[in-house]
């Protein structure tokens, strides 16, 4: 698969006249097209709903695009809940999936009517003490332990994950919740991350559907929805084939019809909580090369750094890089592409083959639409970049301004030095 940027060198040269690099830019047309495909793929399930994983890209302009296609919000913290509520997202369109949850976050989730997804059996009593009475609808997060395999390939290791109820705790938890007045139940699981295979969701669905049937038969619980969560990945590397969402949805449908329908559970809604799949490919980090360094290796120094895109430094993750304007030139030069942090892992790429790069060239770092800007931080006093939206009509809209030094020092307002800074420096 050839990775092509959704912006050209000429577009970026025009954009930087108003918005200097680095910045994240998102492709409205791509986001809409993908959301429409997802909705169509799962249209066989009457109750289907995508709860966008806000953690991936917490920008209200982008979330509003997804809301045009019926998407809700999957929130994992108080501020994400506040964002969804402020945007006018209705309580039933908010899923609250958190762990090690503070009392005030459970209380706020209940206050705005969000569906709470419990991460641990001990949270049942914890939630009851906070609210006085449990909501009529609750969900429980499932972790079967061990490893999650597709054929002979290990996809991930749930047994090492801190999340979820064990199998035994699911049955015990459902019984306890029924006694405490809960009438409607959900099941949630996230057993593998960023899978680039059409088999993951159908395999997960089969496991959860079989569990749902057993829970209904043994506890009498009414299971309203099954949440397949996230895990559908994107092809970060050019040699990877993208997932086929229609094939994935058909696989889930087959499992649904074989397992749930015969058990009298043909009314169960299917939910998803996709983040990376919804936004990842439709974002670029645009950065300019400002230095070359010729020492033991060849280095390209950029005006972006790991605070703008943490994944390569944190995980060694691959993000494809296009030198804008040189898309058709041979990749015959080897570089480390770096930022300016005082950390040696501040590298977007190591030993990456690119065309000959000059100072002043613009780089488009691909697939930053999810877990890109949102994982930013302020180490070394670095400031978060702007976020821009390339609209369907070709216009560019600012959807989050870049931070300024005044933003960085704002939490120092309790010290008398706050008013001594030169904000015009």
């Amino acid at each position: 698969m050839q990775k092509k940027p959704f912006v050209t060198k000429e577009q970026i040269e025009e954009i930087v006249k108003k918005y200097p690099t680095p910045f994240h830019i998102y492709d409205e047309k791509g986001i809409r097209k993908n959301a429409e495909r997802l909705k169509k793929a799962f249209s066989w399930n009457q109750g289907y709903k995508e709860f966008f994983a806000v953690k991936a890209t917490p920008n209200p302009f982008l979330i509003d695009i997804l809301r045009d296609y019926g998407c809700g919000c999957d929130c994992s913290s108080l501020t994400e809940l506040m964002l969804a509520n402020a945007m006018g997202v209705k309580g039933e369109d908010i899923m609250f999936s958190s762990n090690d949850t503070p009392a005030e976050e459970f209380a706020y989730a209940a206050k705005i009517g969000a569906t709470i997804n419990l991460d641990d059996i001990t949270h049942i009593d914890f939630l009851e003490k906070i609210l006085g009475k449990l909501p009529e609808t609750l969900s429980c997060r499932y972790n079967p332990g061990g490893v999650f395999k597709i054929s002979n390939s290990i996809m991930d290791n749930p047994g090492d994950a801190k999340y979820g109820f064990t199998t035994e705790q699911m049955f015990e938890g459902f019984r306890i919740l029924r006694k405490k007045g809960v009438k409607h139940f959900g099941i949630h699981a996230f057993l593998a991350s960023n899978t680039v295979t059409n088999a993951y969701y159908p395999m997960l669905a089969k496991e959860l559907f079989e569990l749902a049937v057993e829970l209904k038969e043994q506890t009498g619980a009414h299971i309203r929805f099954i949440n397949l969560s996230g895990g559908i990945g994107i092809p970060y590397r050019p040699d990877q084939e993208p997932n086929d969402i229609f094939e994935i949805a058909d696989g889930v449908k087959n499992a649904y019809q074989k397992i749930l329908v015969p058990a009298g559970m043909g009314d169960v809604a299917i939910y998803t909580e996709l983040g990376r799949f919804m936004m990842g490919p439709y974002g670029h980090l645009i950065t300019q090369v400002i230095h070359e360094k010729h020492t033991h290796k060849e280095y390209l120094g950029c005006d972006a750094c790991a605070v703008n895109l943490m994944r390569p430094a944190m995980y060694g993750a691959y993000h494809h890089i296009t030198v804008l304007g040189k898309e058709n030139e041979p990749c015959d030069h080897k570089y480390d592409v770096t930022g300016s942090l005082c950390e040696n892992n501040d590298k977007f790429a190591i030993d990456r083959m690119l065309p000959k790069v000059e100072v002043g060239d613009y780089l488009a770092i691909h697939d930053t639409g999810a877990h890109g800007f949102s994982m930013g931080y302020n180490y070394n006093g670095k400031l978060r970049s702007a976020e821009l939206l390339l609209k369907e009509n070709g216009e560019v809209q600012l959807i989050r301004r870049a931070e300024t030094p005044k933003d960085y020092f704002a939490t120092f307002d309790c010290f008398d030095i706050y008013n001594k800074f030169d904000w015009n420096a």
Side-chain angles (χ1 to χ4, degrees), residues 33-293:
K33 199 171 181 182
N34 189 55
E36 180 63 39
R37 290 175 67 249
L38 176 72
K39 182 179 179 180
K40 186 175 179 181
F42 280 94
S43 61
W44 57 266
N45 181 258
Q46 188 172 357
Y48 173 73
K49 192 170 197 66
E50 155 65 7
F51 291 82
F52 172 65
V54 174
K55 67 178 75 67
T57 321
N59 189 298
F61 289 89
L62 302 177
I63 295 170
D64 260 343
I65 292 173
L66 297 181
R67 291 179 68 198
D68 288 345
Y69 302 89
C71 297
C73 291
D74 162 43
C75 300
S76 59
S77 68
L78 176 62
T79 49
E80 290 181 1
L81 288 168
M82 291 171 66
L83 174 61
N85 186 55
M87 291 179 63
V89 181
K90 295 179 292 185
E92 63 266 27
D93 289 339
I94 302 173
M95 186 70 60
F96 182 50
S97 298
S98 64
N99 68 95
D100 194 19
T101 311
E104 61 269 22
E105 299 196 6
F106 273 141
Y108 186 79
K111 177 184 175 182
I112 65 174
T115 300
I116 294 173
N117 182 36
L118 295 175
D119 180 67
D120 184 64
I121 195 168
T122 65
H123 291 180
I124 295 173
D125 289 341
F126 186 70
L127 183 63
E128 187 177 35
K129 288 177 183 177
I130 296 163
L131 304 182
K133 182 182 178 182
L134 294 176
E136 288 192 355
T137 300
L138 274 176
S139 178
C140 295
R141 182 168 182 167
Y142 175 55
N143 184 337
V147 295
F148 187 80
K149 291 184 177 182
I150 296 177
S151 298
N152 292 321
S153 299
I154 295 176
M155 304 304 296
D156 220 321
N157 190 352
D160 280 347
K162 65 177 181 175
Y163 309 107
F165 289 55
T166 67
T167 304
E168 295 77 15
Q169 288 172 344
M170 288 291 288
F171 288 88
E172 181 184 357
F174 271 45
R175 291 188 181 101
I176 292 170
L177 290 169
R178 286 202 71 209
K179 288 179 182 178
K180 291 181 179 290
V182 175
K183 296 180 180 178
H184 310 291
F185 291 78
I187 302 172
H188 174 288
F190 181 87
L191 302 186
S193 178
N194 192 38
T195 61
V196 189
T197 168
N198 295 326
Y200 168 61
Y201 250 23
M203 284 288 292
L204 173 64
K206 178 179 181 295
E207 187 162 336
L208 292 185
F209 295 167
E210 289 172 346
L211 174 66
V213 171
E214 289 185 45
L215 283 166
K216 178 192 174 187
E217 291 175 349
Q218 294 189 32
T219 71
H222 171 241
I223 296 172
R224 175 174 281 175
F225 65 84
I226 294 174
N227 190 336
L228 301 177
S229 188
I232 296 180
I234 61 173
Y236 285 100
R237 294 179 178 273
D239 59 354
Q240 292 177 304
E241 286 297 318
N243 286 319
D244 183 337
I245 196 62
F246 288 96
E247 183 176 333
I248 290 169
D250 282 345
V252 175
K253 180 180 179 181
N254 290 337
Y256 189 99
Q257 292 176 334
K258 288 179 182 177
I259 299 168
L260 292 183
V261 172
M265 300 174 69
D267 61 343
V268 172
I270 300 299
Y271 294 165
T272 56
E273 292 175 350
L274 300 168
R276 194 188 320 254
F277 179 81
M278 301 303 293
M279 290 285 184
Y282 313 109
H284 294 333
L285 172 60
I286 304 297
T287 180
Q288 188 173 36
V289 177
I290 58 175
H291 291 290
E292 290 180 88
K293 186 172 184 177

Side-chain angles (χ1 to χ4, degrees), residues 317-338:
Y318 179 95
H319 281 263
H320 197 64
I321 296 175
T322 295
V323 184
L324 295 176
K326 299 181 177 180
E327 290 87 346
N328 298 319
E329 295 186 15
C331 295
D332 53 4
H333 287 67
K334 185 187 291 186
Y335 299 103
D336 280 15
V337 183
T338 75

